Each structure stands twice: as structure tokens, then as C-alpha cells.
Amino acid sequence: MTQPEAAFWRGRRVLVTGHTGFKGSWLVRILADLGAKVTGIALDPEPGPTAFAAMRVADALERDLRLDIREVPALRDAVHAAEPQIVLHLAAQALVGRSHADPAGTFASNVTGTVNLLQALRDLPGVQAAVIVTSDKVYRNDGSGRRFTEDDPLGGEDPYSASKAAAEIAVASWRASFARDLPPMATARAGNVIGGGDFSEARIIPDLVRAQMAGEALVVRRPDATRPFQHVLDVLRGYLLLAEALAAGSAPPTLNFGPQDGEIRVRDLLTLWGDVRWVQAPGAVMHEAPRLALESSRATQALGWRPLLGTPEAIAETAAWYAAWRGGEDMVAVTRRAIAEGLRA
């Protein structure tokens, strides 16, 4: 099974945007364990418990910079000061529900913020690769239920999905128009990432954890919707392999990263979790595609990437992390053990 090369990352200067978020926190911890020197650019963590705090991510950073990627001068100065060799762009407004409440802000973060980063990278020497993270929701969902490939049309009806599709178009435009000024770059499409430390609003597992802690029944919007749930370590391993391939000059411009055993229904995820009391949300709920699935064979062919955890194992790993957190264990040690096992497998 192909894994990130420690020799590639050791001592390498890496810029991670969105490092205070769920995936960003895991990514910084992985990179630090691989020996990279990581600079993070992000907003402050959300209020309440966070992966960033639980995993003490600040301890794994060379520099912890707090700024808004919509602020052009501040972003450009921070990117140039970091002198990155590899850029991993995760910063985004990533919540579908919040995108309905603030569509303009979502587009500003996800599209304009991405463009601001691309502009900051133009003519910046020493950058060997840039991975721009978008979403599995960038595809125009025709309701057919088939798995989406990288060549399918982009779309998205809700503001979050549409903004991520627009970010894909922006990256393709900058690649075509300013190739001489920019490093090799590619977009990475994955979604419904699960794992310990996600405390976001209106996401199934964080909502489940909060409900269990409160002794309440979980309210589920769409129990029969299917999603490609996959563990955070599998997805981040894909991002790192893509960055390595870009730096070597042999990577496609975009790749899907989906789970090995396809998508499952939300109600089946709850069954796999264990003893969960839940009720269906009453009345109308915000629009979301009823079925979403990805075809990831191109990532296998190009990178040798395959998910290591099936969906049941990913759910079990996630449940174990939260159980350890609720039990007051040292979550840096718990997280690093999970990383070591995931990168050794």
C-alpha cells in the first residue's frame, strides 16, 4: 500500500491553510510526525471543543498565523514570509447549513479566498506543489445515483456546493492562464470525512456525540440519504501522495478520493456506531442530494492510493477517538498512535 514518503517530507517547509479546522488539525499532526516544518494560516478555532485544542496542534507548528484568506495584503505577506515548498489549501467555509445562512460569505471564502491564494503564489520561488482541496459535492448531481468521475460536469445547487465548483473553475482558469507563474497544482475532491475531533455544527457524528453527552435523542435530517463516509487519515494520505506526485511532475489536475466500499445510508452509519437513539427531523429540511458517490480509480492508478479503512472500521476508529476524549485521555498520544498505525499499514 502506497504511503507518504517520510524522506520527502522531512525538513520540508509546508504551508497549510485552514489548520485550525478538523482536517487541518489532523494534517498538521501527520506532517509534524513526518518531520515537516509547518506554517499554518487560518481563522481562530470555532468556540467550544475542537480538534485543534484536543490534539494541541499549536505545539506541532513552526508558525501559527491567524488571518482571513479574504484579506489580500495580509495573506500575500504571510504566504511569502512562509517561503513554502509545498502548499495544502484547506481553508474554507465548509458547512452546507451555514452556506444557506451566509451564501455571500461562503462564496467569498471558498472562491475569492482561493483566488487570493493563487495570486499570492504567482512568481513565488521555491514552491514545488500546491494541492487545492475542494469537495465531493462539486458535481452536477443529476439524481442518477451513479458514481461521479473527475470528467463529469461541475455544478451544485446549494451555496456550499456551488462555491466549491466555482473554486474548481477558478483553479483551472489560473492553471491555463498563468501556468508560467504558478507551481504544479491540482484539486482534490473528497467529502463526508469522519474521524475524531470534528465538532462542527449540523454534521452527523458531531451531532451524535453531542446528543449522547446530553442524554438526548439525535435528530436526523435525512436518514436514507447516502454518503461516501471515509476516515480522515485515508483522505489526508491521498492529499499528501498527490503533493508528492505534483512535485515529481506526474499528477493529474484533479482527483477523487472516495471510500473503498462506496456510500452507505445515514441510518446504517448510526447502526454501525452502536447504541444510538435518534428521531427524524420534522418538517422541511434544507436541500441536499439524496445520493452521492465517487469513482476513485484514477487516484489508484495515478498515486497507488487506496483507502485502508472500510466504512465500518472508519466508524469504529472514530467512535474510539471520541470515547477516549470523553474519558479524559491524552488526545495527542491517542491521535499520534492512530497516525502511526495508519501510515504503517
Side-chain angles (χ1 to χ4, degrees):
M1 187 66 65
T2 303
Q3 294 284 12
E5 289 285 346
F8 175 89
W9 295 100
R10 189 175 301 115
R12 202 165 294 251
R13 297 186 304 277
V14 181
L15 173 63
V16 175
T17 71
H19 70 285
T20 58
F22 159 56
K23 285 199 295 182
S25 294
W26 277 91
L27 181 57
V28 171
R29 274 290 169 196
I30 294 170
L31 287 166
D33 284 356
L34 289 170
K37 299 178 179 178
V38 186
T39 293
I41 291 176
L43 297 173
D44 290 337
E46 293 279 328
T50 62
F52 185 82
M55 300 176 186
R56 299 200 298 274
V57 174
D59 296 344
L61 291 161
E62 293 283 316
R63 280 182 286 189
D64 182 1
L65 305 179
R66 305 299 174 83
L67 59 95
D68 193 323
I69 60 173
R70 295 174 291 186
E71 298 172 359
V72 174
L75 178 63
R76 186 181 188 280
D77 290 348
V79 171
H80 282 240
E83 298 182 323
Q85 295 168 290
I86 304 293
V87 175
L88 297 156
H89 175 48
L90 281 69
Q93 194 303 95
L95 301 175
V96 174
R98 196 175 292 182
S99 80
H100 283 270
D102 183 15
T106 297
F107 269 80
S109 293
N110 296 353
V111 185
T112 305
T114 297
V115 167
N116 291 344
L117 176 66
L118 298 179
Q119 286 292 93
L121 293 178
R122 291 181 63 184
D123 294 321
L124 181 62
V127 185
Q128 300 164 343
V131 174
I132 312 299
V133 173
T134 60
S135 171
D136 59 353
K137 296 179 178 63
V138 299
Y139 295 107
R140 187 185 307 157
N141 198 324
D142 57 8
S144 67
R146 63 182 178 82
R147 294 189 179 192
F148 292 107
T149 74
E150 291 86 349
D151 300 323
D152 280 320
L154 301 176
E157 294 183 3
D158 65 86
Y160 169 73
S161 302
S163 71
K164 284 296 194 175
E168 288 273 357
I169 293 170
V171 172
S173 173
W174 258 250
R175 184 192 293 113
S177 302
F178 311 113
R180 292 184 179 180
D181 303 343
L182 287 164
M185 60 184 187
T187 57
R189 301 169 180 172
N192 296 99
V193 178
I194 63 175
D198 186 3
F199 295 97
S200 301
E201 64 191 55
R203 280 187 179 158
I204 186 66
I205 287 180
D207 285 349
L208 166 58
V209 171
R210 283 187 285 265
Q212 289 185 322
M213 291 179 68
E216 300 172 350
L218 171 68
V219 178
V220 180
R221 295 194 305 271
R222 297 179 183 274
D224 291 312
T226 66
R227 294 291 181 264
F229 294 106
Q230 56 192 322
H231 197 268
V232 62
L233 286 176
D234 275 331
V235 174
L236 297 181
R237 189 166 48 85
Y239 297 168
L240 296 179
L241 292 173
L242 179 54
E244 291 179 19
L246 283 167
S250 60
T254 189
L255 285 175
N256 288 340
F257 296 97
Q260 64 174 243
D261 40 11
E263 72 285 1
I264 65 168
R265 296 180 304 171
V266 170
R267 68 168 66 245
D268 296 329
L269 179 148
L270 300 176
T271 299
L272 287 167
W273 187 275
D275 184 20
V276 179
R277 290 191 301 119
W278 65 273
V279 296
Q280 187 163 355
V285 295
M286 64 184 179
H287 173 77
E288 295 176 274
R291 188 167 192 265
L292 180 60
L294 294 181
E295 169 57 60
S296 303
S297 58
R298 191 171 298 181
T300 301
Q301 295 163 4
L303 307 177
W305 175 86
R306 289 185 181 85
L308 296 174
L309 295 176
T311 301
E313 291 80 15
I315 294 169
E317 285 285 329
T318 302
W321 192 99
Y322 285 106
W325 173 73
R326 291 176 64 179
E329 294 187 34
D330 179 349
M331 298 316 296
V332 175
V334 170
T335 301
R336 292 188 70 187
R337 280 198 301 271
I339 291 170
E341 292 171 4
L343 297 188
R344 184 175 60 243

